[in-house]
Amino acid sequence: PEDKCEPFMRVRLRPLDAPNQGDGVSAAGDLQVTVYQGSSLPEFLVPRDVFDASRTVLPGTRIKMWFANRGSRGGSWWNGKVFTNRALEEGGDPWECLKVQWDKDDDFSEVCPWEVTVSTK
């Protein structure tokens, strides 16, 4: 990306069930992720249990999502209803797969399911 700056950290990921070649490297290959400080890249390391739970959000589910205020502290919860979940489709991409209709203005947004909380409202 153009807004690249100095690396903040590098993370090496290795599948838990990958056979080891004896030299500390898995036969399946490791994935190295470089995270840049100040980057506008989205966060994409999500705990497995949160990811798995996010794939079960069904259309019609009431949710809420925190939206931070730009340039200042604070924010507000927005309530809405899941219209579709593309992650449920065969080979569906889990990133921003929830199409949500918000109560405040009837607009639709596509959001990441791990950023929402199932709501009773």
Side-chain angles (χ1 to χ4, degrees):
E2 290 180 16
D3 63 347
K4 242 184 190 183
C5 51
E6 291 298 312
F8 174 66
M9 73 174 152
R10 287 191 174 91
V11 179
R12 180 168 292 180
L13 304 172
R14 176 176 298 146
L16 292 174
D17 57 354
N20 194 316
Q21 295 178 340
D23 58 0
V25 177
S26 69
D30 295 346
L31 171 67
Q32 181 172 312
V33 178
T34 303
V35 179
Y36 295 93
Q37 185 173 1
S39 159
S40 62
L41 296 173
E43 296 175 21
F44 61 93
L45 297 177
V46 179
R48 180 62 189 234
D49 60 328
V50 174
F51 175 79
D52 289 342
S54 73
R55 296 181 59 82
T56 63
V57 178
L58 299 173
T61 302
R62 298 284 307 157
I63 56 100
K64 64 182 180 177
M65 183 171 173
W66 178 259
F67 285 91
N69 293 333
R70 292 183 186 212
S72 65
R73 295 205 267 184
S76 60
W77 287 99
W78 281 44
N79 294 295
K81 183 166 64 171
V82 175
F83 190 71
T84 60
N85 183 347
R86 289 192 324 265
L88 300 175
E89 300 168 7
E90 184 69 30
D93 184 358
W95 195 262
E96 294 187 344
C97 65
L98 291 184
K99 186 173 185 178
V100 176
Q101 184 174 22
W102 301 108
D103 295 347
K104 282 188 176 183
D105 55 14
D106 291 332
D107 281 345
F108 288 92
S109 296
E110 292 182 345
V111 299
C112 295
W114 47 86
E115 294 179 338
V116 304
T117 302
V118 174
S119 174
T120 56
K121 280 188 171 182

